[in-house]
Amino acid sequence: QSILDDADQKAGVYAVLTAASNTTCAATGTWYQIQGVFTNKVIEGFTVSGTNIVNQIATANQYEIDYHCAVSCDDASRTPHVAIKKNDTVFSMEKMGMLCKTQDEVYSFSGTTVVSLSSNDTIQLVVQASDAGDVVTFHHFVTSITKFFLTRD
């Protein structure tokens, strides 16, 4: 089997939040799944199971997960952070955040994480806020998962 065999296998996801949604961060330092309905514009080699994106590709590969979002907080001087969760592990080193200086003002930021995914690994988009009880509104959210490069285990 050559490396080109894997290169020919389609794999990726492109998803868009369909409407603004609120996520309540009840406790400080806790990651919460981003609420809302996402439409999968393109999905190859992955499935959606409940709130998880599930890898269906048998061969382990490195994937780049990009996201772009527009957020606001229900109070001033709050800092929401967004990260990627693989199975039960949050990639908090790659988290991205923004100080929302003004209540309900919309701020934009983006992030990228590279993860190794094997068959049946799950991905979730998660958020945490700087203060308990913060409500983070996601006005827009776009994410994509693409092969970063091919690997052999």
Side-chain angles (χ1 to χ4, degrees):
Q1 183 178 15
S2 77
I3 198 160
L4 293 177
D5 293 335
D6 288 340
D8 290 338
Q9 187 172 17
K10 292 181 180 180
V13 178
Y14 178 78
V16 177
L17 183 66
T18 59
S21 67
N22 296 330
T23 301
T24 300
C25 299
T28 303
T30 301
W31 292 98
Y32 296 92
Q33 178 188 344
I34 294 172
Q35 300 299 301
V37 176
F38 285 81
T39 297
N40 297 305
K41 298 281 187 174
V42 176
I43 187 164
E44 292 280 350
F46 291 83
T47 58
V48 176
S49 176
T51 59
N52 296 313
I53 299 170
V54 183
N55 182 30
Q56 298 297 312
I57 305 295
T59 305
N61 280 292
Q62 298 289 323
Y63 289 86
E64 179 177 323
I65 303 173
D66 295 302
Y67 58 87
H68 312 279
C69 55
V71 304
S72 64
C73 286
D74 66 334
D75 208 349
S77 298
R78 301 295 195 245
T79 305
H81 288 96
V82 173
I84 302 300
K85 181 177 178 180
K86 174 189 163 190
N87 300 325
D88 293 322
T89 303
V90 175
F91 288 82
S92 59
M93 292 291 292
E94 291 95 348
K95 70 182 178 186
M96 297 300 289
M98 174 71 69
L99 172 63
C100 295
K101 294 166 73 174
T102 307
Q103 178 182 358
D104 296 327
E105 185 174 352
V106 179
Y107 297 87
S108 298
F109 59 93
S110 300
T112 299
T113 303
V114 175
V115 299
S116 178
L117 295 178
S118 298
S119 182
N120 294 316
D121 280 343
T122 62
I123 294 295
Q124 281 188 345
L125 308 169
V126 293
V127 61
Q128 70 174 197
S130 56
D131 292 83
D134 283 346
V135 177
V136 180
T137 300
F138 288 88
H139 299 273
H140 304 284
F141 202 111
V142 175
T143 187
S144 62
I145 303 174
T146 56
K147 282 186 182 179
F148 189 65
F149 53 75
L150 301 173
T151 59
R152 288 277 185 210
D153 290 339

